[in-house]
Amino acid sequence: MSMLSPKDILSRKGGERLAMLTAYDYPSAVAVDRCGLDLILVGDSLAEVELGHSSTRAIGLAEMVHHVRAVRRGVTETHVVADMPAGSYEDPAQAVASAASLIEAGGDSVKLEGALVPQVEAIIGAGIPVMGHVGLLPQTAISYRKQGTSPDTAAQILSDARRLDAAGVYAIVIEAVPDDLAAEITAAVGAPTIGIAAGADTDGQVQVITDLLGLLPDAPGHAERRADLFSQTVRAVAEYAEDVRRPPVPTLE
Ligand code: KIV
């Protein structure tokens, strides 16, 4: 499969669903590039699941650039989306400069959180494709819980998605909203929607690789755990340590 362009991704609206997964480093990038994914997201979730911080706000542009470079070295077949970290898109000029450094590091497009239309328009105006992100916005959320559960907040999220769509994003992540709201947004916008904890009625889905592969003992409730690599790692390394300490079997003269 050849790498999808933002135009290819837009054309999947209402068609075959888009499969997106995060990756943060070279070994996982090499592996997931062989899996027929449509998009790989170097998400700022790496602050939490890869670097052990308690918030995605803990990392900045230099760290994201470092991880995007590592992923790019391992990916030749899949579109790489580089997440813009908190504090890197406070105004349109800063947003363009930050997006340009993520593209220079190897991203094919960038993603940012919220309906920051002037920033989105400026980045797109500079020739860089943008993925939007509505619903739960971890960079500014006080706690990680379902969003859009009241009529007012649901209307606000729908309006955010519409504004991003009108600004020209090529896809929109919808995170942690009720299934019916995600379906309503998906029907209302021209860009394909990619859900996480948002039901099945979106144009695609994204998961965090750490959750999917069970790389840590715990994962959020919405995670699709398809392997338990944490247990396998502990078992393999413990067996290795035991074998190294085992006294050598005496050899007969
Ligand atoms: O940073 C990330 O991994 C994300 C996804 C949860 C969409 O933004």
Side-chain angles (χ1 to χ4, degrees):
M1 193 173 89
S2 64
M3 186 175 309
L4 297 181
S5 68
K7 207 168 145 216
D8 299 326
I9 295 161
L10 254 171
S11 74
R12 293 271 288 275
K13 176 77 187 174
E16 190 180 28
R17 293 187 84 218
L18 292 159
M20 178 158 89
L21 184 67
T22 66
Y24 311 117
D25 56 24
Y26 177 75
S28 61
V30 170
V32 302
D33 193 36
R34 296 173 187 201
C35 301
L37 290 165
D38 298 302
L39 301 120
I40 293 172
L41 170 65
V42 188
D44 65 351
S45 51
L46 74 84
E48 297 175 350
V49 298
E50 184 86 2
L51 303 179
H53 293 293
S54 58
S55 163
T56 62
R57 286 186 286 273
I59 59 163
L61 188 61
E63 284 150 308
M64 285 305 298
V65 162
H66 174 81
H67 284 269
V68 171
R69 279 195 207 291
V71 169
R72 179 82 273 167
R73 283 182 208 114
V75 172
T76 56
E77 303 298 318
T78 321
H79 184 107
V80 173
V81 186
D83 225 352
M84 300 191 67
S88 75
Y89 51 102
E90 301 283 299
D91 59 58
Q94 187 201 22
V96 171
S98 303
S101 39
L102 290 165
I103 297 297
E104 190 276 326
D108 296 305
S109 63
V110 298
K111 175 171 86 59
L112 56 78
E113 293 185 8
L116 300 173
V117 170
Q119 280 86 330
V120 169
E121 286 179 343
I123 299 170
I124 293 174
I128 299 172
V130 178
M131 176 180 283
H133 185 154
V134 300
L136 176 64
L137 306 177
Q139 291 175 8
T140 46
I142 295 160
S143 66
Y144 289 2
R145 59 177 143 90
K146 232 16 159 206
Q147 305 292 305
T149 51
S150 70
D152 283 358
T153 55
Q156 183 60 56
I157 293 169
L158 176 60
S159 151
D160 288 350
R162 282 202 163 110
R163 290 168 59 224
L164 285 167
D165 194 40
V169 298
Y170 74 91
I172 302 175
V173 166
I174 306 177
E175 181 165 0
V177 304
D179 298 6
D180 56 350
L181 176 57
E184 191 182 353
I185 295 170
T186 299
V189 297
T193 58
I194 301 180
I196 178 165
D201 294 327
T202 52
D203 299 304
Q205 181 161 334
V206 56
Q207 284 277 308
V208 168
I209 190 169
T210 321
D211 301 340
L212 192 89
L213 299 182
L215 288 163
L216 287 171
D218 301 316
H222 64 259
E224 271 191 40
R225 202 172 173 127
R226 289 173 184 252
D228 183 1
L229 298 193
F230 183 82
S231 300
Q232 286 190 36
T233 304
V234 170
R235 192 167 53 244
V237 177
E239 279 172 15
Y240 163 73
E242 215 172 286
D243 284 351
V244 169
R245 291 196 198 102
R246 206 188 303 277
V249 179
T251 49
L252 295 174
E253 289 293 307

